[in-house]
Amino acid sequence: FLKHDLALSSRKSPDAARETYHDKVSMVWLPVGPQWRKLRKIVAVQLFTNQRLEASEIVRQNKVNELVLHARACCEKGLPVNIGKAVFTTSLNLLSTTIFSMDLSTYDSLHSQEFKNVVGQIMKEVGAPNVSDFFPILRHFDLQGVRKSIRGAMNKSLSIFDQISDKRLSLETG
């Protein structure tokens, strides 16, 4: 990131990203300028310094240990390990512990599957070729129903984050 940061800027944003205004706030699509430099500084200073990475090492190690314990428990019960779900749950919990100081999911929870489906839908919509990406005049027609689909997925993800924030706040005040 520190050496190739310009490669993470000024990319052409797909129509789906513009629909959610993600192209106005993401380092990936912002052109190099004051907003991009501000975000890059935050990322470089707050997330990727050696000091920050070393401070979060124990959290990462705990999440890996939880994954190993889950795999061991499945083996002892003679159950198959769903690698995709286990890795997604581990990654989700690593991020949520870092951001919210709490796990978002457990390995046997349907909640992580719901969130995985929402993230997958967003990735599919943003990553899929859209006619309007090639013919901008067609943006106004939304021929593939992308706008409704991406808005629905983004609203669902925001709803999940609202629930998480409310839960976290109730833990602190309750």
Side-chain angles (χ1 to χ4, degrees):
F1 176 77
L2 296 175
K3 293 179 184 177
H4 304 288
D5 56 347
L6 290 177
L8 295 174
S9 70
S10 304
R11 293 182 177 180
K12 183 176 176 349
S13 60
D15 198 33
R18 287 188 297 274
E19 177 62 29
T20 60
Y21 302 104
H22 198 70
D23 63 317
K24 306 275 189 242
V25 295
S26 172
M27 285 180 60
V28 174
W29 290 305
L30 280 173
V32 175
Q35 176 72 6
W36 182 85
R37 285 187 180 91
K38 183 173 96 176
L39 291 174
R40 187 209 178 275
K41 183 178 179 182
I42 290 169
V43 170
V45 172
Q46 299 296 325
L47 297 178
F48 293 133
T49 62
N50 287 338
Q51 192 176 21
R52 293 286 185 178
L53 291 171
E54 286 174 10
S56 65
E57 181 180 6
I58 191 72
V59 173
R60 292 190 309 273
Q61 187 61 48
N62 286 341
K63 296 304 159 200
V64 169
N65 289 342
E66 290 173 11
L67 175 61
V68 170
L69 289 173
H70 169 68
R72 183 176 294 139
C74 286
C75 289
E76 289 171 356
K77 294 175 186 175
L79 299 173
V81 178
N82 182 334
I83 299 296
K85 183 177 178 185
V87 169
F88 183 83
T89 299
T90 300
S91 300
L92 180 62
N93 285 341
L94 175 60
L95 290 171
S96 67
T97 299
T98 302
I99 296 168
F100 298 110
S101 300
M102 62 184 281
D103 285 345
L104 276 182
S105 189
T106 60
Y107 291 100
D108 56 352
S109 161
L110 293 177
H111 185 70
S112 67
Q113 188 62 38
E114 175 188 18
F115 191 71
K116 181 180 179 183
N117 291 342
V118 170
V119 169
Q121 183 180 358
I122 292 169
M123 289 175 58
K124 178 181 172 188
E125 294 295 339
V126 171
N130 190 340
V131 173
S132 62
D133 290 330
F134 304 105
F135 302 102
I137 191 95
L138 297 176
R139 278 190 189 127
H140 306 291
F141 299 106
D142 192 26
L143 299 174
Q144 295 169 311
V146 171
R147 291 189 179 107
K148 183 178 179 183
S149 179
I150 195 79
R151 273 192 238 122
M154 291 301 287
N155 287 339
K156 182 66 176 170
S157 69
L158 291 173
S159 171
I160 291 170
F161 285 126
D162 284 344
Q163 291 171 11
I164 295 163
S165 296
D166 291 344
K167 184 177 178 181
R168 181 68 180 134
L169 288 172
S170 71
L171 288 174
E172 286 187 10
T173 59

PDB file of all heavy atoms in Angstrom, residues 126-155:
ATOM      1  N   VAL A 126     -21.640  -4.790  -8.101  1.00  0.00           N
ATOM      2  CA  VAL A 126     -20.616  -3.802  -8.431  1.00  0.00           C
ATOM      3  C   VAL A 126     -19.645  -4.366  -9.464  1.00  0.00           C
ATOM      4  O   VAL A 126     -19.185  -3.659 -10.359  1.00  0.00           O
ATOM      5  CB  VAL A 126     -19.869  -3.330  -7.162  1.00  0.00           C
ATOM      6  CG1 VAL A 126     -18.671  -2.482  -7.505  1.00  0.00           C
ATOM      7  CG2 VAL A 126     -20.819  -2.549  -6.262  1.00  0.00           C
ATOM      8  N   GLY A 127     -19.346  -5.656  -9.373  1.00  0.00           N
ATOM      9  CA  GLY A 127     -18.364  -6.261 -10.263  1.00  0.00           C
ATOM     10  C   GLY A 127     -18.899  -6.717 -11.606  1.00  0.00           C
ATOM     11  O   GLY A 127     -18.134  -6.914 -12.547  1.00  0.00           O
ATOM     12  N   ALA A 128     -20.196  -6.868 -11.713  1.00  0.00           N
ATOM     13  CA  ALA A 128     -20.770  -7.365 -12.967  1.00  0.00           C
ATOM     14  C   ALA A 128     -20.760  -6.277 -14.036  1.00  0.00           C
ATOM     15  O   ALA A 128     -20.992  -5.108 -13.749  1.00  0.00           O
ATOM     16  CB  ALA A 128     -22.203  -7.829 -12.729  1.00  0.00           C
ATOM     17  N   PRO A 129     -20.474  -6.668 -15.269  1.00  0.00           N
ATOM     18  CA  PRO A 129     -20.547  -5.680 -16.346  1.00  0.00           C
ATOM     19  C   PRO A 129     -21.983  -5.189 -16.506  1.00  0.00           C
ATOM     20  O   PRO A 129     -22.923  -5.958 -16.379  1.00  0.00           O
ATOM     21  CB  PRO A 129     -20.097  -6.443 -17.584  1.00  0.00           C
ATOM     22  CG  PRO A 129     -19.878  -7.846 -17.184  1.00  0.00           C
ATOM     23  CD  PRO A 129     -20.103  -7.982 -15.717  1.00  0.00           C
ATOM     24  N   ASN A 130     -22.112  -3.924 -16.733  1.00  0.00           N
ATOM     25  CA  ASN A 130     -23.416  -3.312 -16.880  1.00  0.00           C
ATOM     26  C   ASN A 130     -23.414  -2.568 -18.216  1.00  0.00           C
ATOM     27  O   ASN A 130     -22.440  -1.907 -18.556  1.00  0.00           O
ATOM     28  CB  ASN A 130     -23.646  -2.347 -15.713  1.00  0.00           C
ATOM     29  CG  ASN A 130     -25.064  -1.838 -15.652  1.00  0.00           C
ATOM     30  OD1 ASN A 130     -25.796  -1.876 -16.634  1.00  0.00           O
ATOM     31  ND2 ASN A 130     -25.450  -1.348 -14.497  1.00  0.00           N
ATOM     32  N   VAL A 131     -24.489  -2.644 -18.943  1.00  0.00           N
ATOM     33  CA  VAL A 131     -24.583  -1.991 -20.245  1.00  0.00           C
ATOM     34  C   VAL A 131     -24.259  -0.500 -20.124  1.00  0.00           C
ATOM     35  O   VAL A 131     -23.577   0.077 -20.966  1.00  0.00           O
ATOM     36  CB  VAL A 131     -25.994  -2.197 -20.853  1.00  0.00           C
ATOM     37  CG1 VAL A 131     -26.164  -1.392 -22.120  1.00  0.00           C
ATOM     38  CG2 VAL A 131     -26.256  -3.666 -21.104  1.00  0.00           C
ATOM     39  N   SER A 132     -24.702   0.124 -19.038  1.00  0.00           N
ATOM     40  CA  SER A 132     -24.487   1.566 -18.878  1.00  0.00           C
ATOM     41  C   SER A 132     -23.024   1.918 -18.628  1.00  0.00           C
ATOM     42  O   SER A 132     -22.628   3.071 -18.796  1.00  0.00           O
ATOM     43  CB  SER A 132     -25.360   2.118 -17.760  1.00  0.00           C
ATOM     44  OG  SER A 132     -25.024   1.530 -16.533  1.00  0.00           O
ATOM     45  N   ASP A 133     -22.203   0.938 -18.221  1.00  0.00           N
ATOM     46  CA  ASP A 133     -20.773   1.196 -18.082  1.00  0.00           C
ATOM     47  C   ASP A 133     -20.126   1.409 -19.448  1.00  0.00           C
ATOM     48  O   ASP A 133     -19.126   2.118 -19.568  1.00  0.00           O
ATOM     49  CB  ASP A 133     -20.069   0.035 -17.372  1.00  0.00           C
ATOM     50  CG  ASP A 133     -20.441  -0.068 -15.904  1.00  0.00           C
ATOM     51  OD1 ASP A 133     -20.742   0.980 -15.299  1.00  0.00           O
ATOM     52  OD2 ASP A 133     -20.419  -1.187 -15.364  1.00  0.00           O
ATOM     53  N   PHE A 134     -20.692   0.805 -20.467  1.00  0.00           N
ATOM     54  CA  PHE A 134     -20.148   0.905 -21.816  1.00  0.00           C
ATOM     55  C   PHE A 134     -20.851   1.976 -22.652  1.00  0.00           C
ATOM     56  O   PHE A 134     -20.260   2.562 -23.556  1.00  0.00           O
ATOM     57  CB  PHE A 134     -20.223  -0.446 -22.520  1.00  0.00           C
ATOM     58  CG  PHE A 134     -19.519  -1.531 -21.754  1.00  0.00           C
ATOM     59  CD1 PHE A 134     -20.228  -2.479 -21.045  1.00  0.00           C
ATOM     60  CD2 PHE A 134     -18.132  -1.580 -21.709  1.00  0.00           C
ATOM     61  CE1 PHE A 134     -19.580  -3.467 -20.318  1.00  0.00           C
ATOM     62  CE2 PHE A 134     -17.469  -2.558 -20.984  1.00  0.00           C
ATOM     63  CZ  PHE A 134     -18.195  -3.499 -20.296  1.00  0.00           C
ATOM     64  N   PHE A 135     -22.110   2.204 -22.344  1.00  0.00           N
ATOM     65  CA  PHE A 135     -22.904   3.204 -23.048  1.00  0.00           C
ATOM     66  C   PHE A 135     -23.551   4.129 -22.007  1.00  0.00           C
ATOM     67  O   PHE A 135     -24.695   3.911 -21.588  1.00  0.00           O
ATOM     68  CB  PHE A 135     -23.987   2.532 -23.902  1.00  0.00           C
ATOM     69  CG  PHE A 135     -23.435   1.557 -24.908  1.00  0.00           C
ATOM     70  CD1 PHE A 135     -23.491   0.196 -24.659  1.00  0.00           C
ATOM     71  CD2 PHE A 135     -22.861   2.014 -26.090  1.00  0.00           C
ATOM     72  CE1 PHE A 135     -22.969  -0.711 -25.578  1.00  0.00           C
ATOM     73  CE2 PHE A 135     -22.339   1.115 -27.010  1.00  0.00           C
ATOM     74  CZ  PHE A 135     -22.384  -0.251 -26.752  1.00  0.00           C
ATOM     75  N   PRO A 136     -22.808   5.154 -21.553  1.00  0.00           N
ATOM     76  CA  PRO A 136     -23.282   6.013 -20.463  1.00  0.00           C
ATOM     77  C   PRO A 136     -24.655   6.639 -20.693  1.00  0.00           C
ATOM     78  O   PRO A 136     -25.373   6.909 -19.738  1.00  0.00           O
ATOM     79  CB  PRO A 136     -22.203   7.094 -20.380  1.00  0.00           C
ATOM     80  CG  PRO A 136     -20.980   6.452 -20.928  1.00  0.00           C
ATOM     81  CD  PRO A 136     -21.464   5.521 -22.002  1.00  0.00           C
ATOM     82  N   ILE A 137     -25.044   6.828 -21.919  1.00  0.00           N
ATOM     83  CA  ILE A 137     -26.353   7.418 -22.210  1.00  0.00           C
ATOM     84  C   ILE A 137     -27.480   6.541 -21.647  1.00  0.00           C
ATOM     85  O   ILE A 137     -28.562   7.015 -21.333  1.00  0.00           O
ATOM     86  CB  ILE A 137     -26.544   7.655 -23.732  1.00  0.00           C
ATOM     87  CG1 ILE A 137     -27.775   8.506 -23.998  1.00  0.00           C
ATOM     88  CG2 ILE A 137     -26.688   6.364 -24.478  1.00  0.00           C
ATOM     89  CD1 ILE A 137     -27.467   9.941 -24.138  1.00  0.00           C
ATOM     90  N   LEU A 138     -27.217   5.253 -21.487  1.00  0.00           N
ATOM     91  CA  LEU A 138     -28.237   4.319 -21.005  1.00  0.00           C
ATOM     92  C   LEU A 138     -28.372   4.306 -19.482  1.00  0.00           C
ATOM     93  O   LEU A 138     -29.242   3.635 -18.943  1.00  0.00           O
ATOM     94  CB  LEU A 138     -27.920   2.907 -21.506  1.00  0.00           C
ATOM     95  CG  LEU A 138     -27.936   2.734 -23.029  1.00  0.00           C
ATOM     96  CD1 LEU A 138     -27.518   1.319 -23.396  1.00  0.00           C
ATOM     97  CD2 LEU A 138     -29.307   3.055 -23.588  1.00  0.00           C
ATOM     98  N   ARG A 139     -27.532   5.067 -18.772  1.00  0.00           N
ATOM     99  CA  ARG A 139     -27.604   5.104 -17.306  1.00  0.00           C
ATOM    100  C   ARG A 139     -28.994   5.472 -16.813  1.00  0.00           C
ATOM    101  O   ARG A 139     -29.437   5.007 -15.782  1.00  0.00           O
ATOM    102  CB  ARG A 139     -26.607   6.121 -16.748  1.00  0.00           C
ATOM    103  CG  ARG A 139     -25.242   5.584 -16.656  1.00  0.00           C
ATOM    104  CD  ARG A 139     -24.336   6.530 -15.869  1.00  0.00           C
ATOM    105  NE  ARG A 139     -22.991   6.015 -16.042  1.00  0.00           N
ATOM    106  CZ  ARG A 139     -21.973   6.723 -16.460  1.00  0.00           C
ATOM    107  NH1 ARG A 139     -22.111   8.002 -16.701  1.00  0.00           N
ATOM    108  NH2 ARG A 139     -20.814   6.163 -16.617  1.00  0.00           N
ATOM    109  N   HIS A 140     -29.660   6.315 -17.540  1.00  0.00           N
ATOM    110  CA  HIS A 140     -30.971   6.798 -17.109  1.00  0.00           C
ATOM    111  C   HIS A 140     -32.056   5.731 -17.216  1.00  0.00           C
ATOM    112  O   HIS A 140     -33.107   5.873 -16.620  1.00  0.00           O
ATOM    113  CB  HIS A 140     -31.361   8.031 -17.933  1.00  0.00           C
ATOM    114  CG  HIS A 140     -30.316   9.092 -17.897  1.00  0.00           C
ATOM    115  ND1 HIS A 140     -30.036   9.821 -16.765  1.00  0.00           N
ATOM    116  CD2 HIS A 140     -29.447   9.527 -18.837  1.00  0.00           C
ATOM    117  CE1 HIS A 140     -29.059  10.672 -17.015  1.00  0.00           C
ATOM    118  NE2 HIS A 140     -28.685  10.510 -18.270  1.00  0.00           N
ATOM    119  N   PHE A 141     -31.793   4.683 -17.949  1.00  0.00           N
ATOM    120  CA  PHE A 141     -32.811   3.664 -18.183  1.00  0.00           C
ATOM    121  C   PHE A 141     -32.716   2.472 -17.243  1.00  0.00           C
ATOM    122  O   PHE A 141     -33.662   1.741 -17.079  1.00  0.00           O
ATOM    123  CB  PHE A 141     -32.755   3.183 -19.641  1.00  0.00           C
ATOM    124  CG  PHE A 141     -33.013   4.277 -20.616  1.00  0.00           C
ATOM    125  CD1 PHE A 141     -31.989   4.819 -21.361  1.00  0.00           C
ATOM    126  CD2 PHE A 141     -34.292   4.788 -20.774  1.00  0.00           C
ATOM    127  CE1 PHE A 141     -32.223   5.838 -22.258  1.00  0.00           C
ATOM    128  CE2 PHE A 141     -34.539   5.822 -21.664  1.00  0.00           C
ATOM    129  CZ  PHE A 141     -33.502   6.347 -22.402  1.00  0.00           C
ATOM    130  N   ASP A 142     -31.561   2.254 -16.617  1.00  0.00           N
ATOM    131  CA  ASP A 142     -31.357   1.141 -15.685  1.00  0.00           C
ATOM    132  C   ASP A 142     -31.891  -0.166 -16.283  1.00  0.00           C
ATOM    133  O   ASP A 142     -32.760  -0.822 -15.728  1.00  0.00           O
ATOM    134  CB  ASP A 142     -32.014   1.435 -14.336  1.00  0.00           C
ATOM    135  CG  ASP A 142     -31.590   0.441 -13.262  1.00  0.00           C
ATOM    136  OD1 ASP A 142     -30.496  -0.140 -13.364  1.00  0.00           O
ATOM    137  OD2 ASP A 142     -32.365   0.233 -12.313  1.00  0.00           O
ATOM    138  N   LEU A 143     -31.361  -0.544 -17.421  1.00  0.00           N
ATOM    139  CA  LEU A 143     -31.858  -1.689 -18.167  1.00  0.00           C
ATOM    140  C   LEU A 143     -31.765  -3.005 -17.412  1.00  0.00           C
ATOM    141  O   LEU A 143     -32.560  -3.910 -17.625  1.00  0.00           O
ATOM    142  CB  LEU A 143     -31.088  -1.812 -19.496  1.00  0.00           C
ATOM    143  CG  LEU A 143     -31.215  -0.625 -20.440  1.00  0.00           C
ATOM    144  CD1 LEU A 143     -30.306  -0.810 -21.638  1.00  0.00           C
ATOM    145  CD2 LEU A 143     -32.659  -0.462 -20.868  1.00  0.00           C
ATOM    146  N   GLN A 144     -30.784  -3.132 -16.531  1.00  0.00           N
ATOM    147  CA  GLN A 144     -30.586  -4.414 -15.854  1.00  0.00           C
ATOM    148  C   GLN A 144     -31.097  -4.426 -14.418  1.00  0.00           C
ATOM    149  O   GLN A 144     -30.862  -5.363 -13.681  1.00  0.00           O
ATOM    150  CB  GLN A 144     -29.097  -4.782 -15.892  1.00  0.00           C
ATOM    151  CG  GLN A 144     -28.609  -5.025 -17.315  1.00  0.00           C
ATOM    152  CD  GLN A 144     -27.105  -5.118 -17.388  1.00  0.00           C
ATOM    153  OE1 GLN A 144     -26.398  -4.275 -16.866  1.00  0.00           O
ATOM    154  NE2 GLN A 144     -26.623  -6.157 -18.025  1.00  0.00           N
ATOM    155  N   GLY A 145     -31.786  -3.383 -13.999  1.00  0.00           N
ATOM    156  CA  GLY A 145     -32.325  -3.341 -12.645  1.00  0.00           C
ATOM    157  C   GLY A 145     -31.256  -3.230 -11.569  1.00  0.00           C
ATOM    158  O   GLY A 145     -31.491  -3.578 -10.422  1.00  0.00           O
ATOM    159  N   VAL A 146     -30.096  -2.726 -11.935  1.00  0.00           N
ATOM    160  CA  VAL A 146     -28.981  -2.658 -10.998  1.00  0.00           C
ATOM    161  C   VAL A 146     -29.282  -1.708  -9.852  1.00  0.00           C
ATOM    162  O   VAL A 146     -28.980  -2.011  -8.696  1.00  0.00           O
ATOM    163  CB  VAL A 146     -27.682  -2.220 -11.729  1.00  0.00           C
ATOM    164  CG1 VAL A 146     -26.568  -1.930 -10.763  1.00  0.00           C
ATOM    165  CG2 VAL A 146     -27.275  -3.301 -12.713  1.00  0.00           C
ATOM    166  N   ARG A 147     -29.868  -0.588 -10.146  1.00  0.00           N
ATOM    167  CA  ARG A 147     -30.097   0.425  -9.109  1.00  0.00           C
ATOM    168  C   ARG A 147     -30.924  -0.123  -7.954  1.00  0.00           C
ATOM    169  O   ARG A 147     -30.575   0.041  -6.798  1.00  0.00           O
ATOM    170  CB  ARG A 147     -30.758   1.659  -9.708  1.00  0.00           C
ATOM    171  CG  ARG A 147     -29.825   2.407 -10.612  1.00  0.00           C
ATOM    172  CD  ARG A 147     -30.418   3.750 -11.023  1.00  0.00           C
ATOM    173  NE  ARG A 147     -29.459   4.409 -11.861  1.00  0.00           N
ATOM    174  CZ  ARG A 147     -29.597   4.555 -13.161  1.00  0.00           C
ATOM    175  NH1 ARG A 147     -30.655   4.091 -13.766  1.00  0.00           N
ATOM    176  NH2 ARG A 147     -28.676   5.174 -13.863  1.00  0.00           N
ATOM    177  N   LYS A 148     -32.018  -0.757  -8.268  1.00  0.00           N
ATOM    178  CA  LYS A 148     -32.888  -1.288  -7.221  1.00  0.00           C
ATOM    179  C   LYS A 148     -32.165  -2.386  -6.444  1.00  0.00           C
ATOM    180  O   LYS A 148     -32.222  -2.435  -5.219  1.00  0.00           O
ATOM    181  CB  LYS A 148     -34.172  -1.845  -7.844  1.00  0.00           C
ATOM    182  CG  LYS A 148     -35.152  -2.359  -6.843  1.00  0.00           C
ATOM    183  CD  LYS A 148     -36.431  -2.842  -7.516  1.00  0.00           C
ATOM    184  CE  LYS A 148     -37.399  -3.372  -6.485  1.00  0.00           C
ATOM    185  NZ  LYS A 148     -38.602  -3.911  -7.102  1.00  0.00           N
ATOM    186  N   SER A 149     -31.463  -3.244  -7.142  1.00  0.00           N
ATOM    187  CA  SER A 149     -30.769  -4.357  -6.510  1.00  0.00           C
ATOM    188  C   SER A 149     -29.642  -3.878  -5.595  1.00  0.00           C
ATOM    189  O   SER A 149     -29.517  -4.325  -4.456  1.00  0.00           O
ATOM    190  CB  SER A 149     -30.214  -5.292  -7.581  1.00  0.00           C
ATOM    191  OG  SER A 149     -29.526  -6.352  -6.998  1.00  0.00           O
ATOM    192  N   ILE A 150     -28.830  -2.943  -6.078  1.00  0.00           N
ATOM    193  CA  ILE A 150     -27.704  -2.469  -5.282  1.00  0.00           C
ATOM    194  C   ILE A 150     -28.194  -1.640  -4.100  1.00  0.00           C
ATOM    195  O   ILE A 150     -27.663  -1.734  -3.001  1.00  0.00           O
ATOM    196  CB  ILE A 150     -26.662  -1.698  -6.137  1.00  0.00           C
ATOM    197  CG1 ILE A 150     -25.339  -1.530  -5.386  1.00  0.00           C
ATOM    198  CG2 ILE A 150     -27.153  -0.344  -6.548  1.00  0.00           C
ATOM    199  CD1 ILE A 150     -24.485  -2.725  -5.382  1.00  0.00           C
ATOM    200  N   ARG A 151     -29.245  -0.848  -4.301  1.00  0.00           N
ATOM    201  CA  ARG A 151     -29.809  -0.077  -3.189  1.00  0.00           C
ATOM    202  C   ARG A 151     -30.353  -1.008  -2.109  1.00  0.00           C
ATOM    203  O   ARG A 151     -30.174  -0.768  -0.925  1.00  0.00           O
ATOM    204  CB  ARG A 151     -30.900   0.861  -3.677  1.00  0.00           C
ATOM    205  CG  ARG A 151     -30.375   2.184  -4.130  1.00  0.00           C
ATOM    206  CD  ARG A 151     -31.505   3.195  -4.337  1.00  0.00           C
ATOM    207  NE  ARG A 151     -31.423   3.634  -5.708  1.00  0.00           N
ATOM    208  CZ  ARG A 151     -32.388   3.528  -6.609  1.00  0.00           C
ATOM    209  NH1 ARG A 151     -33.540   3.018  -6.297  1.00  0.00           N
ATOM    210  NH2 ARG A 151     -32.207   3.940  -7.835  1.00  0.00           N
ATOM    211  N   GLY A 152     -31.029  -2.071  -2.531  1.00  0.00           N
ATOM    212  CA  GLY A 152     -31.569  -3.022  -1.566  1.00  0.00           C
ATOM    213  C   GLY A 152     -30.474  -3.696  -0.757  1.00  0.00           C
ATOM    214  O   GLY A 152     -30.582  -3.824   0.468  1.00  0.00           O
ATOM    215  N   ALA A 153     -29.411  -4.104  -1.422  1.00  0.00           N
ATOM    216  CA  ALA A 153     -28.305  -4.758  -0.721  1.00  0.00           C
ATOM    217  C   ALA A 153     -27.597  -3.780   0.215  1.00  0.00           C
ATOM    218  O   ALA A 153     -27.249  -4.134   1.349  1.00  0.00           O
ATOM    219  CB  ALA A 153     -27.307  -5.337  -1.723  1.00  0.00           C
ATOM    220  N   MET A 154     -27.390  -2.554  -0.233  1.00  0.00           N
ATOM    221  CA  MET A 154     -26.739  -1.560   0.619  1.00  0.00           C
ATOM    222  C   MET A 154     -27.624  -1.218   1.823  1.00  0.00           C
ATOM    223  O   MET A 154     -27.136  -1.094   2.941  1.00  0.00           O
ATOM    224  CB  MET A 154     -26.415  -0.292  -0.180  1.00  0.00           C
ATOM    225  CG  MET A 154     -25.330  -0.490  -1.216  1.00  0.00           C
ATOM    226  SD  MET A 154     -23.757  -1.049  -0.544  1.00  0.00           S
ATOM    227  CE  MET A 154     -23.197   0.433   0.238  1.00  0.00           C
ATOM    228  N   ASN A 155     -28.923  -1.084   1.604  1.00  0.00           N
ATOM    229  CA  ASN A 155     -29.830  -0.813   2.725  1.00  0.00           C
ATOM    230  C   ASN A 155     -29.827  -1.955   3.732  1.00  0.00           C
ATOM    231  O   ASN A 155     -29.864  -1.735   4.939  1.00  0.00           O
ATOM    232  CB  ASN A 155     -31.249  -0.545   2.218  1.00  0.00           C
ATOM    233  CG  ASN A 155     -31.373   0.798   1.549  1.00  0.00           C
ATOM    234  OD1 ASN A 155     -30.565   1.692   1.764  1.00  0.00           O
ATOM    235  ND2 ASN A 155     -32.394   0.947   0.719  1.00  0.00           N
TER     236      ASN A 155
END
